[in-house]
Amino acid sequence: MSDPTETNGTAGAAEAAGTAETAGGPGGRRVRVVLVDDHRMFRTGVQAEIGQTAQTGVEVVGEAADVDQAVTVITATRPEVVLLDVHLPGGGGVEVLRRCAALMADAEQPVRFLALSVSDAAEDVIGVIRGGARGYVTKTITGSDLVGSIFRVQEGDAVFSPRLAGFVLDAFASTDAPPVDEDLDRLTQREREVLRLIARGYAYKEIAKQLFISVKTVESHVSAVLRKLQLSNRHELTRWATARRLV
């Protein structure tokens, strides 16, 4: 979270940073946030970066590492903004959005979602926006810009990293569906989850623990992925996933 060029599609970095500065302190604006990411160390880093409420105005009221935890925590805490990773055990960020649709539609106290992901793949961006997220920024964003983006989403604005905004504009300006990766489309949602974890370097036992399935089931999914993609081993699979920015 250190790239000074990262900001949203409608305001410059200076404006976002200014928003962050005016948000904190007694009597300033406040926003309640839930962090959803399967990497504990990343959640800890974000908490340290933006969670000093007196300075930033951001109060982190909950954390979650997978889809089921996310839905439980979001339902219990009713935050104003959820920072949502795209790739999560249990179905991914899109599944969280699907299961929280009623909370997003609540006119009195809407829960709004801002995707925060390492992925800058068009299919990930478009998928979560179609699912109801109000914006999408990558994990290279600075702390001050992230705080500014959170407040803009709380207010109902749409917030995107500049390059990612183009994906959304192109997808929604066209009457045609966005391009489909035919190879990836052969895989089930669960197979995609296993694929991403394999590509990230997880061992079978770790994947089984992450997805709450058996090691044997993981092996079956890996075999199916290799067969469908016509690959020979996990090294080829990793290269395939990396080339498509699925990691």
Side-chain angles (χ1 to χ4, degrees), residues 127-187:
V128 295
I129 298 305
R130 288 195 187 279
R134 296 294 304 174
Y136 195 118
V137 294
T138 59
K139 290 181 178 179
T140 55
I141 192 170
T142 64
S144 61
D145 283 355
L146 180 57
V147 170
S149 297
I150 290 169
F151 275 99
R152 293 185 67 84
V153 168
Q154 179 197 28
E155 294 164 358
D157 288 349
V159 179
F160 298 94
S161 301
R163 191 174 78 86
L164 306 188
F167 295 155
V168 179
L169 290 173
D170 290 344
F172 287 87
S174 173
T175 56
D176 299 326
V180 174
D181 186 321
E182 293 183 0
D183 289 333
L184 187 63
D185 203 44
R186 294 190 186 100
L187 306 182

Side-chain angles (χ1 to χ4, degrees), residues 3-201:
D3 185 351
T5 64
E6 186 73 80
T7 184
N8 61 67
T10 56
E15 179 181 346
T19 301
E21 290 170 2
T22 58
R29 291 184 300 158
R30 292 288 188 271
V31 58
R32 300 171 68 253
V33 172
V34 163
L35 305 178
V36 180
D37 193 284
D38 61 337
H39 291 88
R40 181 181 58 81
M41 289 183 65
F42 180 76
R43 297 198 308 272
T44 300
V46 173
Q47 167 81 296
E49 187 81 14
I50 71 173
Q52 303 301 314
T53 308
Q55 287 75 43
T56 66
V58 175
E59 179 187 3
V60 178
V61 297
E63 298 182 14
D66 59 42
V67 170
D68 287 341
Q69 288 179 14
V71 174
T72 298
V73 171
I74 293 166
T75 302
T77 61
R78 296 297 294 267
E80 292 154 298
V81 177
V82 177
L83 289 180
L84 180 68
D85 192 12
V86 174
H87 302 144
L88 294 168
V94 171
E95 179 65 12
V96 176
L97 292 165
R98 186 187 70 79
R99 291 169 60 178
C100 291
L103 299 179
M104 288 189 284
D106 187 335
E108 296 292 326
Q109 190 182 353
V111 176
R112 296 188 169 104
F113 288 78
L114 173 61
L116 175 62
S117 176
V118 70
S119 171
D120 61 359
E123 65 179 42
D124 287 335
V125 178
I126 295 167
V128 295
I129 298 305
R130 288 195 187 279
R134 296 294 304 174
Y136 195 118
V137 294
T138 59
K139 290 181 178 179
T140 55
I141 192 170
T142 64
S144 61
D145 283 355
L146 180 57
V147 170
S149 297
I150 290 169
F151 275 99
R152 293 185 67 84
V153 168
Q154 179 197 28
E155 294 164 358
D157 288 349
V159 179
F160 298 94
S161 301
R163 191 174 78 86
L164 306 188
F167 295 155
V168 179
L169 290 173
D170 290 344
F172 287 87
S174 173
T175 56
D176 299 326
V180 174
D181 186 321
E182 293 183 0
D183 289 333
L184 187 63
D185 203 44
R186 294 190 186 100
L187 306 182
T188 66
Q189 181 61 40
R190 178 64 88 191
E191 288 168 351
R192 294 186 192 194
E193 292 172 357
V194 171
L195 164 65
R196 289 189 175 102
L197 292 174
I198 285 287
R200 291 180 183 182

